Amino acid sequence: MPYLLLLLFVAYPIAEIITIVLLAKAIGTFWVVLWLIAAFFGGLLMLRHHKLAVGAALFGDLRSGRLSVHSLFAVARYYIAAVLLLLPGILGDVAALVLLLPWGKLAGKNTASPAAGTYSSQGAAGDVIDGEYRQVKPDVDRLQG
Protein backbone atom coordinates (compact mmCIF):
# COMPACT_ATOMS: atom_id res chain seq x y z
CA MET A 1 0.00 0.00 0.00
CA PRO A 2 2.77 2.53 0.75
CA TYR A 3 4.30 1.75 -2.64
CA LEU A 4 0.97 2.41 -4.33
CA LEU A 5 0.79 5.86 -2.71
CA LEU A 6 4.37 6.56 -3.70
CA LEU A 7 3.58 5.53 -7.27
CA LEU A 8 0.55 7.82 -7.27
CA PHE A 9 2.57 10.78 -6.04
CA VAL A 10 5.17 10.15 -8.73
CA ALA A 11 2.84 9.21 -11.59
CA TYR A 12 0.39 12.12 -11.21
CA PRO A 13 2.96 14.93 -11.67
CA ILE A 14 4.55 13.07 -14.58
CA ALA A 15 1.14 12.69 -16.25
CA GLU A 16 0.44 16.40 -15.69
CA ILE A 17 3.78 17.41 -17.22
CA ILE A 18 3.23 15.16 -20.24
CA THR A 19 -0.28 16.58 -20.71
CA ILE A 20 0.93 20.18 -20.48
CA VAL A 21 3.73 19.55 -23.01
CA LEU A 22 1.42 17.79 -25.48
CA LEU A 23 -1.25 20.47 -25.17
CA ALA A 24 1.35 23.23 -25.60
CA LYS A 25 2.50 21.57 -28.83
CA ALA A 26 -1.11 21.27 -30.03
CA ILE A 27 -2.53 24.73 -29.25
CA GLY A 28 0.48 26.83 -28.30
CA THR A 29 2.38 27.67 -25.16
CA PHE A 30 0.68 31.04 -24.65
CA TRP A 31 -2.79 29.50 -24.43
CA VAL A 32 -1.67 26.77 -22.04
CA VAL A 33 0.02 29.28 -19.73
CA LEU A 34 -3.08 31.49 -19.91
CA TRP A 35 -5.25 28.47 -19.02
CA LEU A 36 -3.05 27.60 -16.02
CA ILE A 37 -3.08 31.19 -14.74
CA ALA A 38 -6.86 31.49 -15.16
CA ALA A 39 -7.43 28.15 -13.41
CA PHE A 40 -5.20 29.22 -10.51
CA PHE A 41 -7.04 32.49 -9.99
CA GLY A 42 -10.39 30.71 -10.37
CA GLY A 43 -9.46 28.27 -7.60
CA LEU A 44 -8.16 31.11 -5.46
CA LEU A 45 -11.41 33.05 -5.87
CA MET A 46 -13.42 29.94 -5.07
CA LEU A 47 -11.56 29.47 -1.80
CA ARG A 48 -11.65 33.13 -0.80
CA HIS A 49 -15.20 34.19 -1.59
CA HIS A 50 -17.26 31.09 -1.03
CA LYS A 51 -15.68 29.86 2.17
CA LEU A 52 -18.13 31.67 4.43
CA ALA A 53 -21.17 31.11 2.20
CA VAL A 54 -20.68 27.34 1.98
CA GLY A 55 -19.96 27.12 5.69
CA ALA A 56 -23.07 29.14 6.53
CA ALA A 57 -25.24 26.96 4.29
CA LEU A 58 -23.84 23.82 5.89
CA PHE A 59 -24.43 25.23 9.38
CA GLY A 60 -27.97 26.23 8.39
CA ASP A 61 -28.65 22.66 7.24
CA LEU A 62 -27.30 21.40 10.55
CA ARG A 63 -29.55 23.72 12.59
CA SER A 64 -32.68 22.86 10.60
CA GLY A 65 -32.02 19.13 10.81
CA ARG A 66 -31.62 18.70 7.04
CA LEU A 67 -27.91 17.86 7.17
CA SER A 68 -27.31 14.86 4.96
CA VAL A 69 -24.51 13.04 3.25
CA HIS A 70 -25.39 14.88 0.04
CA SER A 71 -24.81 18.30 1.57
CA LEU A 72 -21.50 17.17 3.08
CA PHE A 73 -20.47 15.68 -0.26
CA ALA A 74 -21.34 18.94 -2.03
CA VAL A 75 -19.07 20.91 0.30
CA ALA A 76 -16.25 18.38 -0.06
CA ARG A 77 -16.57 18.36 -3.86
CA TYR A 78 -16.41 22.15 -3.93
CA TYR A 79 -13.24 22.42 -1.87
CA ILE A 80 -11.51 19.54 -3.64
CA ALA A 81 -12.30 21.22 -6.97
CA ALA A 82 -10.88 24.53 -5.70
CA VAL A 83 -7.63 22.87 -4.59
CA LEU A 84 -7.34 21.02 -7.92
CA LEU A 85 -7.74 24.31 -9.77
CA LEU A 86 -4.97 25.84 -7.65
CA LEU A 87 -2.53 23.09 -8.59
CA PRO A 88 -0.92 23.55 -12.00
CA GLY A 89 -2.03 20.95 -14.50
CA ILE A 90 -4.62 20.21 -17.12
CA LEU A 91 -5.75 16.84 -15.76
CA GLY A 92 -6.47 18.33 -12.33
CA ASP A 93 -8.41 21.19 -13.92
CA VAL A 94 -10.56 18.78 -15.90
CA ALA A 95 -11.20 16.72 -12.78
CA ALA A 96 -12.14 19.92 -10.89
CA LEU A 97 -14.60 20.93 -13.59
CA VAL A 98 -16.19 17.47 -13.46
CA LEU A 99 -16.50 17.77 -9.68
CA LEU A 100 -18.28 21.11 -10.07
CA LEU A 101 -21.01 19.64 -12.27
CA PRO A 102 -24.40 19.33 -10.51
CA TRP A 103 -25.15 15.72 -9.61
CA GLY A 104 -28.35 13.96 -8.52
CA LYS A 105 -30.40 15.69 -5.84
CA LEU A 106 -27.91 18.52 -5.82
CA ALA A 107 -29.01 19.45 -9.33
CA GLY A 108 -32.34 20.72 -7.99
CA LYS A 109 -34.51 17.79 -8.99
CA ASN A 110 -37.92 17.64 -7.31
CA THR A 111 -37.98 14.40 -5.33
CA ALA A 112 -41.62 14.56 -4.23
CA SER A 113 -43.77 11.98 -5.95
CA PRO A 114 -47.49 11.24 -5.68
CA ALA A 115 -46.74 7.68 -4.56
CA ALA A 116 -44.82 8.95 -1.56
CA GLY A 117 -47.94 10.37 0.08
CA THR A 118 -46.39 13.71 1.02
CA TYR A 119 -46.33 16.73 -1.18
CA SER A 120 -43.78 19.38 -0.50
CA SER A 121 -42.00 21.99 -2.51
CA GLN A 122 -39.17 24.33 -1.79
CA GLY A 123 -39.86 28.03 -1.75
CA ALA A 124 -37.55 30.80 -2.85
CA ALA A 125 -35.76 30.86 0.50
CA GLY A 126 -35.39 27.06 0.59
CA ASP A 127 -38.08 26.57 3.23
CA VAL A 128 -40.23 23.46 2.99
CA ILE A 129 -43.96 24.05 2.61
CA ASP A 130 -46.04 21.05 3.66
CA GLY A 131 -49.75 20.77 3.12
CA GLU A 132 -52.71 18.44 3.56
CA TYR A 133 -55.41 17.70 1.06
CA ARG A 134 -58.74 15.94 0.85
CA GLN A 135 -60.90 14.96 -2.06
CA VAL A 136 -64.36 16.45 -2.21
CA LYS A 137 -66.85 14.46 -4.29
CA PRO A 138 -69.74 16.52 -5.62
CA ASP A 139 -73.29 15.41 -4.89
CA VAL A 140 -74.70 13.80 -8.01
CA ASP A 141 -78.32 14.64 -7.05
CA ARG A 142 -77.63 18.33 -6.63
CA LEU A 143 -75.98 18.58 -10.06
CA GLN A 144 -78.78 16.77 -11.88
CA GLY A 145 -81.71 18.57 -10.25
Side-chain angles (χ1 to χ4, degrees), residues 16 18-19 21 23-24 44 55 78 97 107 121 131-132 134:
E16 287 286 5
I18 291 171
T19 305
V21 169
L23 192 64
L44 190 65
Y78 185 82
L97 294 177
S121 63
E132 296 179 5
R134 62 184 171 117

Side-chain angles (χ1 to χ4, degrees), residues 64-121:
S64 67
R66 295 182 300 183
L67 186 64
S68 66
V69 175
H70 295 290
S71 60
L72 292 174
F73 183 62
V75 172
R77 282 187 319 141
Y78 185 82
Y79 283 114
I80 291 171
V83 169
L84 283 174
L85 284 173
L86 282 173
L87 297 174
I90 305 299
L91 296 176
D93 295 344
V94 170
L97 294 177
V98 168
L99 282 174
L100 288 175
L101 291 174
W103 295 351
K105 288 184 182 180
L106 302 174
K109 292 182 182 176
N110 190 5
T111 58
S113 65
T118 60
Y119 295 93
S120 65
S121 63

